[in-house]
Amino acid sequence: MERLEERLMRPLNIALVGLGVIGGSFAKGLRAQNVIHVNLLGIDTNAATIQRALDERIITQGETSNESILQQADVVIISLYPDDLVDFIQTHQDAFKKGAIITDTVGVKGSLIQQVEAILRPDVDYIFGHPMAGRENQGYEYAEAGVFHGANYLLMPRPRNQQANIDKLELILDAIGFRRITHVTPEFHDEMIAYTSQLCHVLAVALMNSDRHDRDTASFVGDSFRELTRIAKINDELWAQLFLYNKESLLESMAAFETEWQAMKQAIQTSNSQDLKEMFRESTKRRSSLEQTDLKLNIARNVAP
Amino acid sequence: MERLEERLMRPLNIALVGLGVIGGSFAKGLRAQNVIHVNLLGIDTNAATIQRALDERIITQGETSNESILQQADVVIISLYPDDLVDFIQTHQDAFKKGAIITDTVGVKGSLIQQVEAILRPDVDYIFGHPMAGRENQGYEYAEAGVFHGANYLLMPRPRNQQANIDKLELILDAIGFRRITHVTPEFHDEMIAYTSQLCHVLAVALMNSDRHDRDTASFVGDSFRELTRIAKINDELWAQLFLYNKESLLESMAAFETEWQAMKQAIQTSNSQDLKEMFRESTKRRSSLEQTDLKLNIARNVAP
């Protein structure tokens, strides 16, 4: 992160609001860069989490509700549940330092952005974002510096965002290890996330719950089942909010899935081997293309670190 | 594998019929044990595969169709597609050594077992099996000694199988690294496999294919999507056969999935946060229980290696 430090030119106070598995991973990822001029400050309602982050020297200052941290922060990274995010802005925005860069990591954007922008002070620069990585376990103890390494990041710049601030935020994200940062509209973000993330969680939960209770399923599982159900271990409060904030897009994604599902079901019912094979070849082509894209980016990153 | 060698007491010729990703992984897993008294012999229609396995000293003798291998083999492990398995038995069973243990790795059993037993010589001991691990890529070049390490194995003993032969086969499977060997009826095998394996493949393929073509999806994916679609890269010929051999059980599994899917969809449509959270807690409980079972077995294995 020397490059980051050089380009930032002066000490930087970064406040992390919410030190759960996501906020904690941001903190650890930043601390792992070992830049003395970046100070990490943490706010979390859980006093034990604050103490642990202080003990581990991940943060240099911590508070269970804001007293003096937001006032010093040049950058504020908020990792709260959707419902809590709006509350937090409403309650604490007077404490933000003038000109501060605010960002959040919440997985839905459309209506949330409208709510935030309707109440936001005009002299701070709020840049909406979303890291495309996480862990199925919740809490600071599952946070790791490496969670975001090589992951996608989505930014939803708004007309009033300053380019210099977007650049600064991207430097920070790059330093943590995000590999590919994409700018999108909030609407497109929500549409894509409904497919790449939320639909996956619906599938995993329904798959896990469709088992019968009287079977010793553990003796029959292989890697596929383990992989498809990892995210069936799910933070119920968080994901109920995420699904319902993005209900319309999620239902559209589910409808698109149902079309493919029905086509497969019909091919199986009618023993139509040719149709099945065609679907398999199509999914193989698509998955291979995804792997190629991932591979190219890894190579690019290795060539020019 | 010293224990295996000791307990087998005398040299053993193991023939591998089909050296694709599964048969090749058996061969490499056995060779990795480095037991001089176990000879591995390979039969594969692909001459280049045979040459490579010989060059790599994985097998000591290879043939593109049986000439003298089956005649010497004490154990025959057949890793062919379902349709080819029955053909192979029909064509080659006169070559089997009297008293040989025959097994296969085919992922469906019910009707296949009936077909094999209807034609099988009475003086060989065919023990039906199924390794619960594999790779999404096909061919010998993707075979690895470690594929089966820690995996489940299913055996479907038949009344005529000899206990001593079942024991010997289990010793071999244990040496390769399988962690948990379960005996089941062919019917229950097919029912469970429809859920733990085939349904997962239907979900992965339908998920991958339900994307729209005009989106840069690669920039939006996270670990969940990557995990849920790994097996969307699928051997079309093999899996079309597996699905259709097990059509009835697969459709039942799909119906059970649909019930859960509909319940989730309804909860989303009606913004029923309480129902959603209850489903999430249930899937979390089930997935955690699966992880605990896996964990216990790993620990047991580490304690008494």
Side-chain angles (χ1 to χ4, degrees):
Chain A
M1 193 151 128
E2 279 169 7
R3 274 171 55 232
L4 172 61
E5 198 176 348
E6 274 165 32
R7 294 180 61 179
L8 294 173
M9 300 297 282
R10 59 187 184 81
L12 193 71
N13 291 328
I14 302 181
L16 298 138
V17 178
L19 283 172
V21 66
I22 298 296
S25 295
F26 267 92
K28 291 182 182 180
L30 283 164
R31 182 49 64 230
Q33 304 304 321
N34 216 11
V35 186
I36 47 169
H37 292 312
V38 171
N39 301 312
L40 300 184
L41 320 169
I43 300 176
D44 195 288
T45 51
N46 185 329
T49 293
I50 290 294
Q51 194 53 53
R52 185 160 166 181
L54 285 167
D55 291 346
E56 293 176 358
R57 296 174 192 273
I58 299 296
I59 57 172
T60 52
Q61 185 183 341
E63 295 171 355
T64 53
S65 74
N66 183 62
E67 290 167 30
S68 67
I69 284 180
L70 294 178
Q71 293 84 336
Q72 311 163 53
D74 304 297
V75 177
V76 181
I77 300 173
I78 310 177
S79 304
L80 297 175
Y81 292 5
D83 282 348
D84 297 336
L85 173 70
V86 180
D87 284 353
F88 185 87
I89 300 294
Q90 185 89 60
T91 312
H92 292 99
Q93 63 168 329
D94 289 343
F96 289 142
K97 187 172 170 178
K98 186 169 154 46
I101 300 172
I102 324 287
T103 191
D104 70 82
T105 63
V106 174
V108 288
K109 290 303 179 206
S111 68
L112 213 67
I113 289 185
Q114 288 171 17
Q115 291 180 56
V116 169
E117 291 195 334
I119 58 173
L120 192 70
R121 261 173 59 191
D123 61 342
V124 294
D125 204 14
Y126 198 126
I127 306 167
F128 296 91
H130 182 195
M132 294 308 298
R135 285 287 180 271
E136 70 278 20
N137 292 306
Q138 44 180 304
Y140 179 81
E141 65 264 44
Y142 292 101
E144 288 171 46
V147 166
F148 301 130
H149 194 86
N152 284 320
Y153 209 93
L154 304 175
L155 281 182
M156 284 122 282
R158 307 292 290 161
R160 73 179 199 184
N161 289 146
Q162 294 174 38
Q163 188 58 47
N165 288 336
I166 296 174
D167 293 347
K168 194 185 277 187
L169 182 56
E170 291 192 354
L171 273 177
I172 293 171
L173 297 171
D174 183 74
I176 295 174
F178 287 101
R179 179 177 54 193
R180 175 169 44 187
I181 300 169
T182 307
H183 291 198
V184 279
T185 63
E187 295 71 29
F188 191 55
H189 167 272
D190 287 0
E191 178 191 321
M192 289 306 300
I193 285 327
Y195 173 60
T196 60
S197 170
Q198 299 191 323
L199 175 58
C200 293
H201 285 77
V202 177
L203 294 173
V205 170
L207 172 61
M208 195 80 236
N209 287 349
S210 76
D211 194 10
R212 281 170 31 193
H213 270 296
D214 57 344
R215 312 193 288 194
D216 166 33
T217 304
S219 296
F220 295 82
V221 303
D223 290 337
S224 357
F225 189 85
R226 290 197 185 93
E227 286 176 327
L228 266 78
T229 58
R230 179 182 62 86
I231 54 172
K233 193 191 234 184
I234 185 169
N235 179 329
D236 60 331
E237 181 58 44
L238 174 62
W239 281 89
Q241 289 186 24
L242 291 173
F243 276 16
L244 297 183
Y245 266 99
N246 202 25
K247 179 175 159 168
E248 209 172 308
S249 292
L250 177 53
L251 289 169
E252 274 172 30
S253 244
M254 289 175 75
F257 176 86
E258 282 173 348
T259 305
E260 294 301 321
W261 171 270
Q262 289 301 338
M264 290 190 79
K265 192 164 120 179
Q266 202 188 344
I268 295 165
Q269 280 168 333
T270 60
S271 298
N272 189 332
S273 178
Q274 288 313 314
D275 276 8
L276 272 181
K277 285 193 263 186
E278 204 163 306
M279 293 169 201
F280 293 158
R281 285 191 292 265
E282 177 65 25
S283 67
T284 299
K285 200 176 73 184
R286 289 176 181 218
R287 168 67 196 193
S288 302
S289 153
L290 177 65
E291 288 173 13
Q292 286 307 311
T293 309
D294 273 0
L295 204 62
K296 268 184 224 157
L297 280 164
N298 277 323
I299 288 164
R301 198 174 169 89
N302 289 339
V303 168
Chain B
M1 194 149 130
E2 279 169 10
R3 274 171 54 231
L4 173 61
E5 198 175 348
E6 275 164 32
R7 295 181 59 180
L8 293 175
M9 300 297 283
R10 58 188 184 80
L12 193 71
N13 291 328
I14 302 181
L16 297 137
V17 178
L19 283 172
V21 67
I22 298 298
S25 295
F26 268 91
K28 291 182 183 181
L30 283 164
R31 181 51 62 231
Q33 304 303 323
N34 216 12
V35 186
I36 47 168
H37 292 313
V38 171
N39 301 313
L40 300 184
L41 319 169
I43 300 176
D44 196 288
T45 51
N46 186 328
T49 294
I50 290 294
Q51 194 54 53
R52 188 163 163 179
L54 284 168
D55 291 346
E56 293 177 358
R57 295 175 193 274
I58 298 297
I59 56 173
T60 51
Q61 184 183 343
E63 296 170 355
T64 52
S65 74
N66 183 61
E67 290 168 31
S68 67
I69 285 181
L70 295 178
Q71 292 85 336
Q72 311 165 52
D74 304 297
V75 177
V76 181
I77 301 173
I78 309 176
S79 304
L80 297 175
Y81 293 5
D83 282 348
D84 297 336
L85 173 69
V86 181
D87 284 352
F88 185 88
I89 301 294
Q90 184 88 61
T91 311
H92 293 98
Q93 64 168 328
D94 289 343
F96 289 142
K97 188 172 169 176
K98 187 168 153 48
I101 300 173
I102 324 285
T103 192
D104 70 81
T105 63
V106 174
V108 287
K109 291 302 180 208
S111 68
L112 213 66
I113 289 186
Q114 288 170 18
Q115 290 181 56
V116 170
E117 291 195 334
I119 57 173
L120 192 70
R121 261 172 60 190
D123 61 343
V124 293
D125 204 12
Y126 197 125
I127 306 167
F128 296 90
H130 182 195
M132 294 309 298
R135 286 288 180 270
E136 70 277 21
N137 293 306
Q138 45 181 303
Y140 179 80
E141 64 263 46
Y142 292 101
E144 288 171 46
V147 165
F148 301 129
H149 193 86
N152 284 321
Y153 208 94
L154 304 175
L155 281 182
M156 284 122 284
R158 307 293 290 162
R160 74 179 201 186
N161 289 145
Q162 293 173 38
Q163 189 58 47
N165 288 336
I166 295 174
D167 293 345
K168 193 184 278 188
L169 182 56
E170 290 192 355
L171 272 178
I172 293 171
L173 297 172
D174 183 74
I176 296 175
F178 287 100
R179 179 176 55 193
R180 177 169 42 189
I181 300 169
T182 306
H183 291 196
V184 280
T185 64
E187 296 70 28
F188 192 56
H189 167 273
D190 287 0
E191 178 191 320
M192 290 305 300
I193 284 327
Y195 173 59
T196 60
S197 170
Q198 299 191 322
L199 176 58
C200 293
H201 285 76
V202 176
L203 293 173
V205 170
L207 172 61
M208 196 79 235
N209 287 348
S210 76
D211 194 10
R212 281 170 31 193
H213 269 298
D214 57 344
R215 312 193 287 194
D216 166 33
T217 304
S219 296
F220 295 83
V221 304
D223 289 338
S224 356
F225 189 85
R226 290 196 185 94
E227 286 175 328
L228 265 80
T229 58
R230 179 181 64 84
I231 53 172
K233 193 192 234 183
I234 186 170
N235 179 330
D236 59 331
E237 181 58 43
L238 173 63
W239 282 89
Q241 289 185 24
L242 291 173
F243 277 16
L244 297 182
Y245 266 98
N246 202 25
K247 177 174 159 170
E248 210 173 308
S249 293
L250 177 53
L251 288 170
E252 274 171 31
S253 243
M254 288 176 75
F257 176 86
E258 282 173 348
T259 304
E260 294 301 321
W261 171 270
Q262 289 301 338
M264 291 191 77
K265 191 164 122 178
Q266 201 187 345
I268 295 165
Q269 279 168 334
T270 59
S271 297
N272 189 332
S273 179
Q274 288 314 313
D275 277 8
L276 272 180
K277 285 193 265 187
E278 205 162 305
M279 293 169 201
F280 293 158
R281 285 191 292 266
E282 178 64 24
S283 67
T284 298
K285 201 177 71 184
R286 290 175 179 220
R287 167 70 195 191
S288 302
S289 153
L290 177 66
E291 288 173 13
Q292 286 306 311
T293 310
D294 274 359
L295 204 62
K296 267 184 226 156
L297 279 165
N298 278 321
I299 288 165
R301 197 173 169 87
N302 289 339
V303 168

